[in-house]
Amino acid sequence: MDTEAIFVDSTHIKASANLKKQARKAVPKEAKRYAHELFDEIDKDRETHGKKSFDENNNGNDSGSGDNSGESEMVEKTVSTADPECGVFHKGEHKKVFAYEAHTACDKHNFILGVHVTPGNIHDSVAFDSLYDDICQHYPEHKIVAADSGYKTPWICKRIFESGRVLTSAYTRPKTKDGKPLTCYLLFCPV
């Protein structure tokens, strides 16, 4: 094995669950793992500028008028009655199905170093943390993480760069708010 470079990607695996056998279920909204670290950074910055500490529950208001009830926000999700662990997967031209997603890390010789399985409706960037924790624990000598653009988020970049490693990922063209490619127009002025 050569663990200097780690390659991370995921694939969808169709679940043995009929899409017609589903139910809507209210589940607590999960906070992103990095939310707490973000609030800590904001607090440090506010402290250096002489402002009072930021309260995680006040939604950014200095007045503290946010919801401090302690109850977690609920979201409604579609779940399979036959296999409640899977999630609905639908992308582009693909048929909408219940699926799982296997997030896999390999070395350059295709030896599998770690696998993390999630429901099919979990984004690559959300599932990355638990897989990367395992990789860092078992293969701390790695220096490069190669991943597709689904893993190129500010949190993942920050996490990898702060650990002294390098993230290599595909170039993605800048996009407008509605997801269309950004077109650049150059204006030439006579000198």
Side-chain angles (χ1 to χ4, degrees), residues 27-171:
V27 295
K29 184 176 181 179
E30 293 182 32
K32 303 267 192 242
R33 176 179 172 170
Y34 55 84
H36 184 68
E37 290 183 29
L38 177 62
F39 283 116
D40 288 344
E41 282 187 41
I42 291 171
D43 275 346
K44 288 176 188 172
D45 185 59
R46 290 178 67 85
E47 211 173 277
T48 59
H49 289 90
K51 295 183 179 181
K52 68 179 184 175
S53 180
F54 184 78
D55 179 13
E56 290 183 28
N57 295 322
N58 73 5
N59 300 324
N61 299 327
D62 283 334
S63 64
S65 61
D67 180 20
N68 292 326
S69 63
E71 294 180 18
S72 60
E73 186 179 341
M74 300 296 276
V75 292
E76 198 169 288
K77 289 190 175 186
T78 302
V79 295
S80 168
T81 55
D83 186 359
E85 298 294 318
C86 62
V88 176
F89 169 70
H90 180 65
K91 182 178 179 183
E93 299 293 318
H94 294 271
K95 185 179 171 185
K96 190 175 184 182
V97 296
F98 281 114
Y100 289 96
E101 193 167 10
H103 306 270
T104 309
C106 299
D107 74 346
K108 72 179 185 177
H109 300 294
N110 295 326
F111 287 109
I112 295 173
L113 306 174
V115 176
H116 185 72
V117 179
T118 63
N121 55 356
I122 303 295
H123 193 269
D124 292 346
S125 61
V126 175
F128 177 79
D129 281 324
S130 55
L131 176 62
Y132 194 62
D133 287 343
D134 290 345
I135 295 303
C136 288
Q137 181 181 358
H138 294 97
Y139 307 100
E141 68 278 2
H142 74 277
K143 294 180 176 75
I144 300 168
V145 177
D148 66 16
S149 58
Y151 295 94
K152 192 166 58 172
T153 65
W155 165 249
I156 291 174
C157 292
K158 178 182 185 300
R159 181 160 185 214
I160 292 172
F161 294 149
E162 283 184 348
S163 69
R165 297 179 177 102
V166 176
L167 172 67
T168 62
S169 185
Y171 171 77

